[in-house]
């Protein structure tokens, strides 16, 4: 089944070389602060002054909402973000910047509605609001589509270029609690096939290519799965309870896909900013939570960044 590797052996399995331990000369002690548009502009400077001078925090965390900061194609609005950074520069606060692709701009959805996440029932997720994403755009759009990747790349690089110019910039939270985003928001009365993503045409085509690389020939796949597919293009990912080997391959592919998404974020940041720390953190650990539903292996994700937390 799914094998979870940890420790030095994990790096040998993945081909990733271990890195020196991250060194820092302070204990990170801080608070979440700016999630657009709050706190209100009239309160920001005094609140940051209080955070730094009265409570002696040394770090704040910013939630960089993509649809709020990129309201139109080709236009970025970082004015409020820059304001917060100027105050942090003034008061000596360090900043952890979230790279948020879990909400996407509405202009991108309008231009490419085919890029919506699709569950096992073929239901496409329209962009909407959520309790965690007050500026809307949740659950984002599927990054297997090139228009989404191109737009996300431009956003990440524009964000990194803006924030890396400030002395208060310290680290990027490369992915906030990694998981396949729509699965998290459906906890009430749904069946398993409501929770599984993504079954859009582009992800299915990517899975078919992954199977071809994994098995080499159709005969070998048919033997392993006990099927008689006439071509790789005929393969649809499993959508209901049934046989096991197809499910194991489908979930293994999704976990590798999530790891590649983390790498996509990291590479786009590093293309602009070679100085700041790259971190990420889990909302759940796959030891005790359903890695099959959330599509992650936290040990694999941790290989891609400088440091990892929970």
């Amino acid at each position: 089944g799914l094998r979870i590797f940890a420790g030095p052996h994990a790096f040998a399995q993945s081909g990733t070389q271990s890195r020196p331990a991250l060194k820092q000369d302070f204990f990170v002690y801080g608070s979440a602060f700016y999630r657009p548009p709050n706190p209100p502009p009239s309160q920001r400077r005094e609140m940051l002054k209080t955070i730094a001078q009265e409570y002696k925090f040394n770090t704040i965390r910013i939630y960089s909402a993509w649809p709020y900061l990129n309201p139109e194609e080709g236009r970025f609005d970082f004015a409020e973000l820059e304001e917060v950074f100027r105050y942090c520069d003034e008061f000596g606060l360090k900043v952890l910047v979230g790279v948020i692709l879990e909400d996407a701009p509405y202009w991108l959805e309008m231009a490419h509605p085919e890029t919506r996440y699709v569950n096992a029932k073929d239901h496409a997720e329209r962009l909407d609001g959520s309790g965690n994403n007050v500026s809307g755009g949740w659950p984002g759009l599927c990054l297997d589509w090139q228009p989404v990747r191109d737009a996300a790349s431009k956003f990440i690089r524009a964000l990194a270029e803006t924030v890396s110019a400030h002395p208060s910039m310290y680290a990027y939270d490369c992915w906030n609690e990694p998981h396949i985003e729509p699965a998290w928001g459906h906890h009430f009365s749904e069946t398993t096939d409501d929770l599984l993503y993504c079954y859009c045409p582009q992800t299915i085509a990517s899975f078919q290519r992954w199977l071809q690389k994994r098995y080499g020939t159709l005969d070998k796949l048919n033997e392993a799965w006990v099927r008689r597919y006439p071509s790789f293009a005929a393969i649809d990912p499993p959508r209901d309870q049934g046989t096991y080997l197809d499910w194991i391959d489908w979930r293994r592919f999704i976990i590798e896909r999530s790891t590649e998404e983390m790498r996509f974020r990291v590479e786009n940041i590093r293309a602009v900013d070679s100085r700041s720390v790259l971190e990420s953190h889990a909302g759940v650990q796959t030891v005790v939570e359903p890695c099959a539903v959330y599509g992650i292996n936290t040990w694999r994700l941790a290989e891609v960044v400088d440091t990892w937390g929970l």
Side-chain angles (χ1 to χ4, degrees), residues 182-199:
W184 194 279
H186 297 292
H187 291 299
F188 304 105
S189 74
E190 281 85 353
T191 58
T192 302
D193 43 7
D194 289 299
L195 298 173
L196 293 172
Y197 294 85
C198 179
Y199 290 81

Side-chain angles (χ1 to χ4, degrees), residues 66-78 107 155:
W66 185 9
Y68 191 87
L69 299 173
N70 185 193
E72 298 174 7
E73 184 175 7
R75 182 170 78 85
F76 300 99
D77 184 358
F78 295 128
W107 61 261
F155 168 65

Side-chain angles (χ1 to χ4, degrees), residues 3-5 255 258-259 286 291 295-302:
R3 300 175 66 194
I4 294 177
F5 300 109
I255 285 171
S258 297
T259 305
T286 50
C291 65
I296 58 168
N297 177 340
T298 49
W299 281 268
R300 293 296 313 280
L301 295 169

Side-chain angles (χ1 to χ4, degrees), residues 172-208:
Y172 297 91
D173 183 36
C174 298
W175 189 350
N176 178 62
E177 300 179 353
H179 57 276
I180 300 176
E181 192 66 20
W184 194 279
H186 297 292
H187 291 299
F188 304 105
S189 74
E190 281 85 353
T191 58
T192 302
D193 43 7
D194 289 299
L195 298 173
L196 293 172
Y197 294 85
C198 179
Y199 290 81
C200 74
Q202 204 68 12
T203 301
I204 291 174
S206 182
F207 178 54
Q208 292 165 347

Side-chain angles (χ1 to χ4, degrees), residues 65-141:
W66 185 9
Y68 191 87
L69 299 173
N70 185 193
E72 298 174 7
E73 184 175 7
R75 182 170 78 85
F76 300 99
D77 184 358
F78 295 128
E80 292 183 20
L81 189 65
E82 291 262 49
E83 177 195 11
V84 172
F85 263 92
R86 286 195 301 271
Y87 299 147
C88 291
D89 294 343
E90 178 183 354
F91 298 122
L93 287 164
K94 298 182 183 297
V95 182
L96 170 65
V97 173
V99 179
I100 308 299
L101 304 182
E102 297 79 73
D103 46 9
Y106 290 98
W107 61 261
L108 185 56
E109 181 190 38
M110 289 180 66
H112 297 283
E114 71 280 5
T115 66
R116 294 170 180 143
Y117 283 106
V118 176
N119 69 13
K121 289 183 174 179
D122 273 334
H123 170 75
E125 288 281 352
R126 297 179 65 93
L127 297 187
D128 200 354
S130 76
N132 200 43
N133 304 68
V134 296
S135 50
W138 184 85
L141 299 168

